[in-house]
Amino acid sequence: IKIIEVEPIVTAEEVKKEEEKKAKKAPRIRGKKYNEVKAKVDRNKSYPVKEAISLVKETSYSKFDGSMELHLVIKKTGLSVQVSLPHSAGKEKKVEIASDETVEKLKTGKIDFDILVATPDMMPKLVPFARILGPKGLMPNPKNGTLVPDIKKAKSVGGNTITIKTEKEAPLIHTVIGKVSQKEEELEQNLGVIIKAVSEKQIEKAYLKATMGPSVKVKI
């Protein structure tokens, strides 16, 4: 009796899973520039805010004007708060106060704003457009400060307004406090406003880094 060995059939999905496993195991190789600037950061030290900002500037190695990122580990998920920064954190956002004109624009599918602020009396008119506004994060709501009691407060929401929120399933916050080229005082003030909005008591760890650069642990 001749025995014929048949090789098992490997599906494309199985091959993909195996490649993903290998990719996860493979160590990440950093470039020479990164390793040079990383050596300037003491990984075991928590730097005072002013010193941390200065160090992030020094260790940024991008040829372009990178962003200064803030990464927070907090005690719980579900945080979402609207914050108006005293200084620009990059591209200024266009704010629109909901009106009948806004409704007419939405009817044509036109959205030419980054933040939509509304008073309670305008909400019934905006509800029909929830499917358009919702996925873009533009539907006004009290949690992020875009649903306000009166028009005066609506006008106080400016182009430097950002939303600070945790990831859906993790108590982590990722945001930008400005550009690496900005004055240290401006970056420090923007950071202070964000920390106050989140609450120091909620923060377990804080890190600053440039778009291209090592992270620096910040003493809050």
Side-chain angles (χ1 to χ4, degrees):
I1 300 171
K2 189 176 180 181
I3 299 173
I4 301 173
E5 291 186 3
V6 180
E7 291 186 5
I9 298 172
V10 180
T11 64
E13 188 178 347
E14 288 173 327
V15 172
K16 186 180 178 182
K17 285 182 180 179
E18 190 62 31
E19 288 176 348
E20 287 176 349
K21 283 182 182 178
K22 288 179 181 178
K24 286 180 180 179
K25 290 179 182 177
R28 187 176 181 184
I29 300 171
R30 294 287 193 175
K32 184 181 177 181
K33 286 185 178 180
Y34 177 86
N35 289 325
E36 284 176 355
V37 295
K38 184 184 176 183
K40 297 180 180 181
V41 181
D42 184 345
R43 308 295 290 179
N44 300 313
K45 179 181 177 180
S46 292
Y47 293 84
V49 170
K50 203 166 188 175
E51 193 176 340
I53 290 174
S54 179
L55 187 55
V56 171
K57 281 175 167 283
E58 185 184 346
T59 55
S60 173
Y61 62 94
S62 62
K63 292 181 180 179
F64 57 89
D65 185 14
S67 297
M68 191 169 293
E69 304 169 3
L70 172 65
H71 303 274
L72 300 174
V73 180
I74 65 173
K75 293 181 179 178
K76 58 183 180 179
T77 59
L79 175 74
S80 181
V81 60
Q82 199 87 5
V83 180
S84 291
L85 302 178
H87 307 283
S88 173
K91 182 184 176 183
E92 189 167 328
K93 295 180 179 180
K94 184 180 178 182
V95 180
E96 173 135 352
I97 300 173
S99 64
D100 289 334
E101 288 181 12
T102 306
V103 173
E104 291 305 313
K105 282 196 291 185
L106 291 173
K107 285 179 181 178
T108 64
K110 184 180 179 181
I111 296 178
D112 58 355
F113 48 83
D114 303 299
I115 299 171
L116 181 61
V117 186
T119 50
D121 60 299
M122 279 302 300
M123 288 308 292
K125 296 181 181 181
L126 295 176
V127 170
F129 307 101
R131 288 184 180 180
I132 301 172
L133 299 171
K136 296 180 181 293
L138 295 173
M139 195 66 182
N141 68 78
K143 279 188 177 181
N144 62 22
T146 52
L147 180 58
V148 294
D150 58 66
I151 200 71
K152 289 181 181 178
K153 289 193 175 182
K155 290 178 180 178
S156 68
V157 178
N160 291 333
T161 300
I162 61 172
T163 300
I164 305 295
K165 60 182 179 180
T166 54
E167 290 184 4
K168 286 185 178 180
E169 298 178 359
L172 303 173
I173 292 173
H174 311 289
T175 190
V176 171
I177 67 169
K179 290 289 186 179
V180 172
S181 62
Q182 272 183 256
K183 294 178 181 179
E184 291 187 12
E185 295 79 7
E186 292 183 0
L187 293 167
E188 192 174 345
Q189 287 170 17
N190 278 356
L191 176 61
V193 170
I194 293 171
I195 296 301
K196 186 177 179 181
V198 175
S199 175
E200 290 182 20
K201 293 179 181 178
Q202 289 292 325
I203 300 171
E204 295 189 337
K205 293 178 183 178
Y207 297 89
L208 283 174
K209 72 179 294 294
T211 303
M212 292 176 68
S215 60
V216 176
K217 192 173 183 181
V218 185
K219 185 178 181 181
I220 300 299

